[in-house]
Amino acid sequence: MQIKALSPCPSSVPFSCSASQQSPGSSQPILFTTERIQWTTEAKPKVPRPQLPKPAKRIPRPITLYNETFIDNYHWMHQIDKDPDVRTYIEAEAKYTKSWIHYSGIEALQKQLEKEMQQIKNRMTEGFLDDDDSEDANDNDDPFKEKKPKKRLESIQFWDIDRWRYWLDATEGDYGVYKRRPIPENGYFRAMQQKRADYMPSLDYTELALNTQAATDENFGGCSNGAQTAGGLYASDMGSINVEVVLDVNRIAKEEKKDGDKGEFSFGSIEIQPEYTFLRRSIPSADGAMERPKEPKYTFVAYTFDTSGDERYKIKVTSISNAPSELGRDPNIDKGVHVMKECLTTGSGSLGSVMDNAGPETRWLKIGRSLYLYFTKLDTKGLSREVWRVLVESFDQDQACFGCGEDELKPELVMREDDERNVLALSQTNDHRFLLIESNGQTNSRTYFWNVGSPDKGWNLIRKSEDNVVYKVEHHSGYFYLRTNHGDSVNFKVIRIPVSLYDNSTSLATPHIANLQDHVAHIPELPSGCFLNCVDDETVIEHDPNEFLERFESFVEHFVAWVWRAGLQEIRIFHAPHPGNGDGGDPEKWPLTELERLRPYDKDYKVVTVMPSNIRYEEERLMRDFYNTRLRYSNCSSVHPWALYEYDMHSLTPTELRDMDEDDREDKIRKATRLVCRETFPVRVRYGKGSKSFMAKSPESLSSMDNLAETNNLLKEKDPRKEQDKEIAKFKEMRLMVPSTHSTMNGTNPGEQVPVLIPVSLVYYNFSECNFPRAAVVKAYGAYGTMTSAMFEPEIDLPLLHRGLIVVQVHPRGDGVLGPQWYKDGKAANKTNTFYDVEDVLLYLRDSGMVKPESVAIEGRSAGGLVSGWIANRWGENPIPKETIGDRNERGQTNIVKEMVKVVLAQVPFVDVIGDMTDKDVPWVEYEWDEWGNPLESQEVFEVMKAYSPYERIRNQPYPAMMIMGGLSDSRVSYAEPLKFVAKLRSVDGKTNDCQPLEEEDGSEDGSDQEGIEDGNNPKEEEDREGKKKKELCAGRKDTALLLQLEDGGHFSGNNSLWMAFALHHLGTMKVTD
């Protein structure tokens, strides 16, 4: 079955235009212009043609597997600190890229894109003035004058800890400022505080619901008027609410950057000390009686940052005052001056070497009368393989403050992981009862726990690791709840195990274990077929073959399961049983009772990303309040900004659930769901060079007073949300299921085989006139089971959409949107499915009439670089070789890649699969074997890698226009990957600017690279063949750009405006189409 999008133009072919809709006097459909736009008609001085870099030297390095040998002539490029020729070649490529940009004339376009991106950023972080807020009556004379933004108090991204709300104010400086304000103590807040003290429900459903109503919009406050107000709470709406500065990241960046403003800086994370870790000291009174414990004067704050781009973080600790001044805050904090000195610094004292190589996250833990900071440390390869802790404060010492002497700052090694397949991570159960150390691999895991309430018990192991079994731990009321794929539960299930089961087990006895394996080796083998033991294994959420259980969370009265069904996210809410609330005595009450299933997406467009609370990306820490009965979640899409919602989990009780039909239930869900806040959609952005208007009309047409009055009315729109909604309505989002041409699956009828359906998300600007086919940017990743759902990225997408491009996100096999099986079907020996899925989408885009030939830019990042590299190599295979690649017979197939693709973009690309996966000195290799397969042990894996590895598949053939980007400090994908890829491409004919043979060092003009598999062919015959082929390839060809951009940063390097300008230039879509 093929699901096609509806055509905006009546025609038998989707997305094509009929003759009746052509422009007057034209016999052709209205299409976007493909001509190169000249930014000025003035005569320009001749710019010299850029000269290609001198070919890089070759030092052969053979790789032999299964009687086949590959020659890597550029492996020496990994030795940047040993071989000066590496930097020499990098500089030569940089010089060429700069010259090409100047020669091509795309500099003006890049600058214009940067202006648009900055305007978008500004519109996203500012409010709008009402009519009576204007400070200058003369503003009406200049409708294009920038309005002064109204200051927002807090953004969508906030989190609550104890009595405070924290958030990052991104409007201040380049990095933002972390701030906090007190949470008003209304009835709902007091109820949660009581639950915090009791760890059991203190109110029944009815009473709590009444108290919930006492929390007004302003008191809770993501937005002052809920859905009616854009952005966050405005300072003018808050009155007496006091805001304190917690951490000024701009100040930290300024202090830490090297070489003035050219130094690298990225912020890692901030960890606020929670109240339950406070050390409260009781002071004896004059009569000898002990007074009530006093609150500490300070709250500690740990934060991490990176100054090199290699994700090796430094840790510092500071503090914020718990005794605010009369103004509601410590005056020193507003000035960025911390009351206590930052003592956990690098470069001096006993902490220097430890803190320099930390992971991004930390955790606070109180053990008895001492406060510790736990953190991870990276090994020489950049992997998190150790957990350390440092004593920050203790009442068992003479001084009750930290940093008063070096003796207090001795770090302690807690655990070390020696299994090269695994990395360590710090975590906590949501109720903060247990500190967790997780040892995670791609296909195995094990978790150690520390009972905060019984620190003398030391560390204990939940379960010994087992291949192809992973689990994640939560806790509630004396039971561990584990999300796991154990027992062939591919889509995961949840089991429950009593904590008491570990009371008599062998613990690590001490918190200081140098090697995890020392303990694991003595754990007895598990009974066959059981998670722990068959008696205590209890499944509370069964495995569902049609639903992927992605995340499981515990709250004081509820459990929440985040699931994917048919590629869309849903939320399942369960009642949490309590032994202390009468649930423990009756076994029938122990099974989890499902209360509701939320579907937080629009039923029409079904293109959405849903995240727990207000986090944006999966790698961000999930900050959740265990005692909250309101579920916070956020969603967005390609054109719908992030919106934060609250759902009252007490809206349905188990009794009501049984007596309610579907319509009544949906109505109750709607009433129980509150839009807390929605971010601003950027309007009034001036797209296109020379345009002074955000409207379709040019400023030159606004000469009359009538036009000026019309402009003023638009600029002074009273309802910003209405204006934003009107702008959003101009875009069209779709979710398609594209049939595969090379894979089938079982149908509904016995023996029936139907095509595999490939999910695709796309968005385009819905212009008033018929305008298909168009150009497109096609993005794909296809690895690690990543959930590549549509995200709101306006700074990148909006400039492209306003220039008429379709932005397409392919979800090929290897991604995770259709569950773990979809992921497995695109990894290791099945990897080629990822690339064929992308080709099938290109075929669909052509046949549906959406995209015109030679008008696609392929974009792949990191592991998605394999897609870009595959497309680049496939582009020149014309006709397609008569061979079988992977499991797909290519005989007689049309080269859809050559027909559709014009540009290939690869950012920090992983391209040398065989070279990396056979070299254990490369970081992450043994960890990555579970993703790509181990070619050292499997010939099947080796054969598949040989079929798709972009670096090894480079041939003497034409290549499309390509821009390759990387980071010199990238710790995930080495800078040498894009560097080697470009160097090898430069060494072959058919794609360089002049398409001339490259002179070899021995004086010959044979352009062949002589790389690849040694096949023993006659050198003379091979030379004759290559010479003939070269003439055929170069006949009539013009420029085919190949650019390399290496930045000083890490894995998130990549100048967006540059690749966007490069793509628009080659697609011929530089002009804004309004």
Side-chain angles (χ1 to χ4, degrees), residues 919-968:
D919 186 354
K920 292 185 179 181
D921 292 332
V922 175
W924 295 97
V925 166
E926 286 152 304
Y927 178 88
E928 295 284 344
W929 279 341
D930 286 327
E931 175 70 25
W932 312 106
N934 184 352
L936 299 175
E937 296 182 355
S938 170
Q939 185 172 0
E940 179 188 10
V941 167
F942 168 71
E943 294 294 337
V944 173
M945 287 182 174
K946 190 174 67 175
Y948 72 81
S949 180
Y951 184 67
E952 280 75 22
R953 282 187 60 81
I954 291 176
R955 297 291 184 268
N956 189 5
Q957 64 180 40
Y959 282 85
M962 300 174 67
M963 172 166 281
I964 316 297
M965 312 180 92
L968 289 171

Short mmCIF file of all heavy atoms in Angstrom, two decimals, residues 919-968:
data_model
loop_
_atom_site.label_atom_id
_atom_site.label_comp_id
_atom_site.label_asym_id
_atom_site.label_seq_id
_atom_site.Cartn_x
_atom_site.Cartn_y
_atom_site.Cartn_z
N ASP A 919 40.55 -1.37 13.72
CA ASP A 919 41.63 -0.72 14.46
C ASP A 919 41.16 -0.46 15.89
O ASP A 919 40.39 0.46 16.15
CB ASP A 919 42.00 0.59 13.77
CG ASP A 919 43.21 1.26 14.41
OD1 ASP A 919 43.69 0.77 15.45
OD2 ASP A 919 43.68 2.28 13.86
N LYS A 920 41.65 -1.24 16.85
CA LYS A 920 41.22 -1.11 18.24
C LYS A 920 41.74 0.16 18.90
O LYS A 920 41.29 0.52 19.99
CB LYS A 920 41.67 -2.33 19.05
CG LYS A 920 40.97 -3.62 18.67
CD LYS A 920 41.37 -4.75 19.59
CE LYS A 920 40.65 -6.04 19.23
NZ LYS A 920 41.02 -7.16 20.14
N ASP A 921 42.67 0.84 18.25
CA ASP A 921 43.18 2.09 18.82
C ASP A 921 42.23 3.25 18.56
O ASP A 921 42.37 4.32 19.17
CB ASP A 921 44.56 2.42 18.22
CG ASP A 921 45.63 1.44 18.68
OD1 ASP A 921 45.48 0.89 19.80
OD2 ASP A 921 46.59 1.23 17.93
N VAL A 922 41.27 3.07 17.68
CA VAL A 922 40.29 4.12 17.41
C VAL A 922 39.26 4.13 18.54
O VAL A 922 38.74 3.07 18.92
CB VAL A 922 39.59 3.88 16.06
CG1 VAL A 922 38.48 4.90 15.83
CG2 VAL A 922 40.59 3.93 14.92
N PRO A 923 38.98 5.30 19.14
CA PRO A 923 38.00 5.36 20.24
C PRO A 923 36.65 4.77 19.84
O PRO A 923 36.20 4.92 18.71
CB PRO A 923 37.89 6.86 20.54
CG PRO A 923 39.19 7.43 20.07
CD PRO A 923 39.59 6.61 18.87
N TRP A 924 36.03 4.10 20.81
CA TRP A 924 34.67 3.57 20.70
C TRP A 924 34.55 2.31 19.85
O TRP A 924 33.46 1.77 19.71
CB TRP A 924 33.70 4.63 20.13
CG TRP A 924 33.49 5.82 20.99
CD1 TRP A 924 34.12 7.02 20.89
CD2 TRP A 924 32.57 5.95 22.09
NE1 TRP A 924 33.67 7.88 21.85
CE2 TRP A 924 32.71 7.25 22.61
CE3 TRP A 924 31.65 5.08 22.67
CZ2 TRP A 924 31.98 7.71 23.68
CZ3 TRP A 924 30.92 5.54 23.75
CH2 TRP A 924 31.08 6.84 24.24
N VAL A 925 35.66 1.81 19.26
CA VAL A 925 35.53 0.73 18.28
C VAL A 925 34.86 -0.50 18.88
O VAL A 925 33.89 -1.04 18.32
CB VAL A 925 36.91 0.37 17.69
CG1 VAL A 925 36.84 -0.97 16.95
CG2 VAL A 925 37.36 1.45 16.74
N GLU A 926 35.36 -1.00 20.02
CA GLU A 926 34.77 -2.21 20.59
C GLU A 926 33.33 -1.98 21.05
O GLU A 926 32.50 -2.88 20.98
CB GLU A 926 35.65 -2.70 21.75
CG GLU A 926 36.93 -3.34 21.24
CD GLU A 926 38.08 -3.22 22.22
OE1 GLU A 926 38.40 -2.08 22.60
OE2 GLU A 926 38.64 -4.25 22.59
N TYR A 927 33.04 -0.77 21.51
CA TYR A 927 31.67 -0.41 21.84
C TYR A 927 30.80 -0.43 20.58
O TYR A 927 29.63 -0.84 20.61
CB TYR A 927 31.66 0.97 22.49
CG TYR A 927 30.30 1.51 22.86
CD1 TYR A 927 29.74 1.22 24.10
CD2 TYR A 927 29.58 2.32 21.99
CE1 TYR A 927 28.49 1.71 24.45
CE2 TYR A 927 28.34 2.82 22.33
CZ TYR A 927 27.80 2.52 23.56
OH TYR A 927 26.56 3.01 23.91
N GLU A 928 31.38 0.02 19.45
CA GLU A 928 30.62 0.15 18.21
C GLU A 928 30.44 -1.17 17.47
O GLU A 928 29.62 -1.25 16.55
CB GLU A 928 31.31 1.16 17.29
CG GLU A 928 31.34 2.58 17.80
CD GLU A 928 29.99 3.27 17.65
OE1 GLU A 928 29.15 2.75 16.90
OE2 GLU A 928 29.78 4.31 18.28
N TRP A 929 31.17 -2.20 17.83
CA TRP A 929 31.01 -3.48 17.14
C TRP A 929 29.57 -4.00 17.21
O TRP A 929 29.09 -4.66 16.31
CB TRP A 929 31.97 -4.52 17.72
CG TRP A 929 33.36 -4.39 17.18
CD1 TRP A 929 33.76 -3.73 16.05
CD2 TRP A 929 34.55 -4.93 17.76
NE1 TRP A 929 35.12 -3.82 15.88
CE2 TRP A 929 35.63 -4.56 16.92
CE3 TRP A 929 34.81 -5.69 18.89
CZ2 TRP A 929 36.95 -4.94 17.19
CZ3 TRP A 929 36.13 -6.06 19.16
CH2 TRP A 929 37.18 -5.69 18.32
N ASP A 930 28.90 -3.70 18.31
CA ASP A 930 27.52 -4.15 18.44
C ASP A 930 26.59 -3.41 17.49
O ASP A 930 25.46 -3.86 17.25
CB ASP A 930 27.03 -3.97 19.89
CG ASP A 930 27.62 -5.01 20.83
OD1 ASP A 930 27.85 -6.14 20.39
OD2 ASP A 930 27.86 -4.68 22.00
N GLU A 931 27.03 -2.28 16.99
CA GLU A 931 26.21 -1.51 16.03
C GLU A 931 26.50 -1.91 14.59
O GLU A 931 25.59 -2.15 13.80
CB GLU A 931 26.46 -0.01 16.20
CG GLU A 931 25.76 0.88 15.19
CD GLU A 931 24.26 0.93 15.37
OE1 GLU A 931 23.79 0.68 16.50
OE2 GLU A 931 23.55 1.22 14.38
N TRP A 932 27.78 -1.97 14.24
CA TRP A 932 28.17 -2.18 12.85
C TRP A 932 28.59 -3.62 12.55
O TRP A 932 28.63 -4.02 11.40
CB TRP A 932 29.32 -1.24 12.48
CG TRP A 932 29.06 0.17 12.91
CD1 TRP A 932 29.65 0.83 13.94
CD2 TRP A 932 28.12 1.08 12.34
NE1 TRP A 932 29.15 2.10 14.07
CE2 TRP A 932 28.20 2.29 13.08
CE3 TRP A 932 27.22 1.01 11.27
CZ2 TRP A 932 27.41 3.38 12.79
CZ3 TRP A 932 26.45 2.11 10.98
CH2 TRP A 932 26.54 3.29 11.74
N GLY A 933 28.89 -4.38 13.61
CA GLY A 933 29.43 -5.72 13.43
C GLY A 933 30.94 -5.69 13.52
O GLY A 933 31.58 -4.64 13.37
N ASN A 934 31.52 -6.83 13.79
CA ASN A 934 32.97 -6.95 13.93
C ASN A 934 33.54 -7.66 12.72
O ASN A 934 33.44 -8.89 12.60
CB ASN A 934 33.30 -7.73 15.21
CG ASN A 934 34.80 -7.81 15.48
OD1 ASN A 934 35.61 -7.41 14.64
ND2 ASN A 934 35.16 -8.33 16.63
N PRO A 935 34.18 -6.94 11.79
CA PRO A 935 34.71 -7.59 10.59
C PRO A 935 35.90 -8.50 10.88
O PRO A 935 36.26 -9.32 10.02
CB PRO A 935 35.14 -6.39 9.72
CG PRO A 935 35.44 -5.31 10.69
CD PRO A 935 34.47 -5.51 11.83
N LEU A 936 36.51 -8.35 12.06
CA LEU A 936 37.62 -9.22 12.41
C LEU A 936 37.16 -10.64 12.71
O LEU A 936 37.94 -11.59 12.61
CB LEU A 936 38.37 -8.66 13.62
CG LEU A 936 39.01 -7.27 13.44
CD1 LEU A 936 39.61 -6.79 14.74
CD2 LEU A 936 40.05 -7.30 12.34
N GLU A 937 35.89 -10.79 13.07
CA GLU A 937 35.38 -12.11 13.45
C GLU A 937 34.31 -12.64 12.51
O GLU A 937 33.95 -13.81 12.59
CB GLU A 937 34.79 -12.03 14.87
CG GLU A 937 35.83 -11.70 15.94
CD GLU A 937 35.23 -11.70 17.34
OE1 GLU A 937 33.99 -11.86 17.44
OE2 GLU A 937 35.99 -11.54 18.30
N SER A 938 33.76 -11.80 11.65
CA SER A 938 32.67 -12.24 10.78
C SER A 938 32.94 -11.82 9.34
O SER A 938 33.00 -10.63 9.03
CB SER A 938 31.34 -11.65 11.25
OG SER A 938 30.32 -11.87 10.30
N GLN A 939 33.08 -12.80 8.46
CA GLN A 939 33.26 -12.48 7.05
C GLN A 939 31.99 -11.91 6.45
O GLN A 939 32.04 -11.08 5.54
CB GLN A 939 33.70 -13.73 6.27
CG GLN A 939 34.03 -13.43 4.81
CD GLN A 939 34.64 -14.61 4.09
OE1 GLN A 939 34.84 -15.67 4.68
NE2 GLN A 939 34.95 -14.45 2.81
N GLU A 940 30.84 -12.36 6.96
CA GLU A 940 29.58 -11.81 6.47
C GLU A 940 29.52 -10.31 6.72
O GLU A 940 29.13 -9.53 5.84
CB GLU A 940 28.40 -12.50 7.16
CG GLU A 940 27.05 -11.96 6.72
CD GLU A 940 25.90 -12.50 7.55
OE1 GLU A 940 26.15 -13.15 8.58
OE2 GLU A 940 24.73 -12.23 7.18
N VAL A 941 29.90 -9.90 7.94
CA VAL A 941 29.93 -8.47 8.25
C VAL A 941 30.92 -7.75 7.35
O VAL A 941 30.65 -6.66 6.83
CB VAL A 941 30.28 -8.27 9.73
CG1 VAL A 941 30.62 -6.81 10.01
CG2 VAL A 941 29.14 -8.72 10.63
N PHE A 942 32.08 -8.37 7.14
CA PHE A 942 33.10 -7.76 6.28
C PHE A 942 32.58 -7.55 4.86
O PHE A 942 32.79 -6.50 4.26
CB PHE A 942 34.34 -8.65 6.27
CG PHE A 942 35.34 -8.30 5.21
CD1 PHE A 942 36.10 -7.14 5.30
CD2 PHE A 942 35.52 -9.12 4.11
CE1 PHE A 942 37.01 -6.81 4.31
CE2 PHE A 942 36.43 -8.80 3.12
CZ PHE A 942 37.18 -7.64 3.21
N GLU A 943 31.88 -8.54 4.31
CA GLU A 943 31.36 -8.43 2.95
C GLU A 943 30.34 -7.30 2.85
O GLU A 943 30.29 -6.57 1.86
CB GLU A 943 30.74 -9.75 2.52
CG GLU A 943 31.72 -10.90 2.38
CD GLU A 943 32.71 -10.70 1.25
OE1 GLU A 943 32.40 -9.92 0.31
OE2 GLU A 943 33.79 -11.31 1.28
N VAL A 944 29.50 -7.15 3.87
CA VAL A 944 28.51 -6.08 3.86
C VAL A 944 29.20 -4.72 3.96
O VAL A 944 28.85 -3.78 3.24
CB VAL A 944 27.50 -6.27 5.01
CG1 VAL A 944 26.57 -5.07 5.09
CG2 VAL A 944 26.68 -7.53 4.80
N MET A 945 30.18 -4.60 4.87
CA MET A 945 30.91 -3.35 4.99
C MET A 945 31.60 -2.98 3.67
O MET A 945 31.61 -1.81 3.27
CB MET A 945 31.96 -3.45 6.10
CG MET A 945 31.39 -3.44 7.50
SD MET A 945 32.72 -3.51 8.73
CE MET A 945 31.77 -3.31 10.25
N LYS A 946 32.15 -3.96 3.02
CA LYS A 946 32.82 -3.72 1.74
C LYS A 946 31.85 -3.17 0.71
O LYS A 946 32.24 -2.42 -0.19
CB LYS A 946 33.43 -5.04 1.27
CG LYS A 946 34.36 -4.93 0.08
CD LYS A 946 35.02 -6.27 -0.21
CE LYS A 946 34.00 -7.30 -0.68
NZ LYS A 946 34.63 -8.58 -1.09
N ALA A 947 30.57 -3.54 0.85
CA ALA A 947 29.56 -3.10 -0.11
C ALA A 947 29.12 -1.66 0.11
O ALA A 947 28.58 -1.04 -0.81
CB ALA A 947 28.35 -4.03 -0.05
N TYR A 948 29.31 -1.11 1.33
CA TYR A 948 28.77 0.24 1.56
C TYR A 948 29.77 1.24 2.12
O TYR A 948 29.51 2.45 2.08
CB TYR A 948 27.56 0.18 2.48
CG TYR A 948 27.83 -0.12 3.93
CD1 TYR A 948 28.26 0.89 4.80
CD2 TYR A 948 27.65 -1.39 4.46
CE1 TYR A 948 28.51 0.63 6.14
CE2 TYR A 948 27.88 -1.65 5.80
CZ TYR A 948 28.31 -0.65 6.64
OH TYR A 948 28.55 -0.90 7.96
N SER A 949 30.89 0.83 2.67
CA SER A 949 31.81 1.77 3.32
C SER A 949 32.24 2.86 2.34
O SER A 949 32.91 2.58 1.34
CB SER A 949 33.04 1.03 3.84
OG SER A 949 33.93 1.94 4.46
N PRO A 950 31.86 4.11 2.58
CA PRO A 950 32.10 5.17 1.59
C PRO A 950 33.58 5.36 1.24
O PRO A 950 33.92 5.56 0.07
CB PRO A 950 31.54 6.42 2.28
CG PRO A 950 30.51 5.90 3.20
CD PRO A 950 31.05 4.59 3.71
N TYR A 951 34.45 5.32 2.22
CA TYR A 951 35.88 5.56 1.96
C TYR A 951 36.46 4.46 1.08
O TYR A 951 37.20 4.75 0.12
CB TYR A 951 36.62 5.62 3.30
CG TYR A 951 38.09 5.96 3.18
CD1 TYR A 951 38.51 7.21 2.74
CD2 TYR A 951 39.06 5.01 3.53
CE1 TYR A 951 39.86 7.51 2.64
CE2 TYR A 951 40.41 5.31 3.45
CZ TYR A 951 40.81 6.56 3.00
OH TYR A 951 42.15 6.86 2.90
N GLU A 952 36.14 3.22 1.37
CA GLU A 952 36.68 2.12 0.58
C GLU A 952 36.05 2.04 -0.80
O GLU A 952 36.65 1.48 -1.73
CB GLU A 952 36.47 0.79 1.32
CG GLU A 952 37.49 0.51 2.42
CD GLU A 952 37.26 1.33 3.67
OE1 GLU A 952 36.11 1.78 3.87
OE2 GLU A 952 38.20 1.51 4.45
N ARG A 953 34.86 2.58 -0.98
CA ARG A 953 34.16 2.46 -2.27
C ARG A 953 34.44 3.63 -3.22
O ARG A 953 33.85 3.69 -4.31
CB ARG A 953 32.65 2.36 -2.04
CG ARG A 953 32.21 0.98 -1.59
CD ARG A 953 30.69 0.85 -1.54
NE ARG A 953 30.07 1.09 -2.84
CZ ARG A 953 29.98 0.19 -3.82
NH1 ARG A 953 30.52 -1.00 -3.66
NH2 ARG A 953 29.39 0.48 -4.94
N ILE A 954 35.30 4.55 -2.84
CA ILE A 954 35.65 5.63 -3.76
C ILE A 954 36.27 5.03 -5.03
O ILE A 954 37.18 4.21 -4.96
CB ILE A 954 36.62 6.63 -3.11
CG1 ILE A 954 35.90 7.40 -2.00
CG2 ILE A 954 37.20 7.58 -4.14
CD1 ILE A 954 36.80 8.34 -1.22
N ARG A 955 35.77 5.44 -6.19
CA ARG A 955 36.23 4.90 -7.47
C ARG A 955 36.58 6.03 -8.43
O ARG A 955 36.26 7.21 -8.19
CB ARG A 955 35.14 4.02 -8.09
CG ARG A 955 34.80 2.77 -7.28
CD ARG A 955 35.94 1.77 -7.28
NE ARG A 955 35.57 0.55 -6.58
CZ ARG A 955 35.78 0.33 -5.28
NH1 ARG A 955 36.36 1.27 -4.55
NH2 ARG A 955 35.44 -0.81 -4.73
N ASN A 956 37.18 5.67 -9.52
CA ASN A 956 37.53 6.63 -10.57
C ASN A 956 36.28 6.92 -11.39
O ASN A 956 36.04 6.32 -12.43
CB ASN A 956 38.65 6.05 -11.44
CG ASN A 956 39.19 7.09 -12.41
OD1 ASN A 956 38.82 8.25 -12.36
ND2 ASN A 956 40.06 6.65 -13.28
N GLN A 957 35.46 7.87 -10.91
CA GLN A 957 34.16 8.13 -11.50
C GLN A 957 33.74 9.56 -11.18
O GLN A 957 34.37 10.22 -10.35
CB GLN A 957 33.12 7.16 -10.93
CG GLN A 957 32.89 7.35 -9.42
CD GLN A 957 31.88 6.41 -8.83
OE1 GLN A 957 31.84 5.23 -9.18
NE2 GLN A 957 31.06 6.91 -7.93
N PRO A 958 32.68 10.07 -11.81
CA PRO A 958 32.21 11.41 -11.46
C PRO A 958 31.58 11.42 -10.07
O PRO A 958 31.08 10.39 -9.59
CB PRO A 958 31.14 11.71 -12.53
CG PRO A 958 31.35 10.70 -13.59
CD PRO A 958 31.93 9.50 -12.93
N TYR A 959 31.59 12.57 -9.44
CA TYR A 959 30.96 12.78 -8.14
C TYR A 959 30.16 14.07 -8.17
O TYR A 959 30.50 15.00 -8.91
CB TYR A 959 32.00 12.82 -7.02
CG TYR A 959 32.49 11.46 -6.62
CD1 TYR A 959 33.53 10.85 -7.30
CD2 TYR A 959 31.89 10.76 -5.58
CE1 TYR A 959 33.97 9.58 -6.96
CE2 TYR A 959 32.31 9.49 -5.21
CZ TYR A 959 33.35 8.91 -5.91
OH TYR A 959 33.76 7.65 -5.57
N PRO A 960 29.10 14.17 -7.38
CA PRO A 960 28.30 15.40 -7.35
C PRO A 960 29.04 16.49 -6.58
O PRO A 960 30.10 16.27 -6.00
CB PRO A 960 27.03 14.97 -6.61
CG PRO A 960 27.51 13.89 -5.69
CD PRO A 960 28.57 13.15 -6.46
N ALA A 961 28.46 17.68 -6.57
CA ALA A 961 28.98 18.75 -5.73
C ALA A 961 28.90 18.31 -4.28
O ALA A 961 27.87 17.81 -3.82
CB ALA A 961 28.19 20.03 -5.94
N MET A 962 30.00 18.48 -3.54
CA MET A 962 30.06 17.95 -2.18
C MET A 962 30.69 18.96 -1.23
O MET A 962 31.68 19.61 -1.58
CB MET A 962 30.87 16.65 -2.14
CG MET A 962 30.31 15.54 -3.00
SD MET A 962 31.41 14.09 -3.05
CE MET A 962 31.30 13.55 -1.34
N MET A 963 30.12 19.07 -0.05
CA MET A 963 30.75 19.83 1.03
C MET A 963 30.89 18.90 2.23
O MET A 963 29.90 18.33 2.71
CB MET A 963 29.93 21.06 1.42
CG MET A 963 30.46 21.77 2.67
SD MET A 963 29.78 23.43 2.93
CE MET A 963 30.77 24.34 1.75
N ILE A 964 32.11 18.77 2.70
CA ILE A 964 32.42 17.87 3.82
C ILE A 964 32.89 18.74 4.98
O ILE A 964 33.77 19.59 4.82
CB ILE A 964 33.52 16.86 3.43
CG1 ILE A 964 33.27 16.29 2.03
CG2 ILE A 964 33.64 15.78 4.48
CD1 ILE A 964 32.01 15.49 1.91
N MET A 965 32.32 18.54 6.17
CA MET A 965 32.63 19.37 7.32
C MET A 965 33.03 18.49 8.50
O MET A 965 32.53 17.37 8.66
CB MET A 965 31.43 20.25 7.70
CG MET A 965 30.81 20.97 6.52
SD MET A 965 29.38 22.00 6.95
CE MET A 965 30.18 23.55 7.24
N GLY A 966 33.95 19.00 9.32
CA GLY A 966 34.40 18.24 10.48
C GLY A 966 34.92 19.15 11.57
O GLY A 966 35.03 20.37 11.40
N GLY A 967 35.25 18.55 12.72
CA GLY A 967 35.78 19.29 13.85
C GLY A 967 37.14 18.73 14.27
O GLY A 967 37.28 17.51 14.47
N LEU A 968 38.11 19.59 14.43
CA LEU A 968 39.46 19.14 14.78
C LEU A 968 39.54 18.53 16.17
O LEU A 968 40.45 17.76 16.47
CB LEU A 968 40.44 20.32 14.68
CG LEU A 968 40.74 20.80 13.26
CD1 LEU A 968 41.53 22.10 13.28
CD2 LEU A 968 41.51 19.73 12.49
#
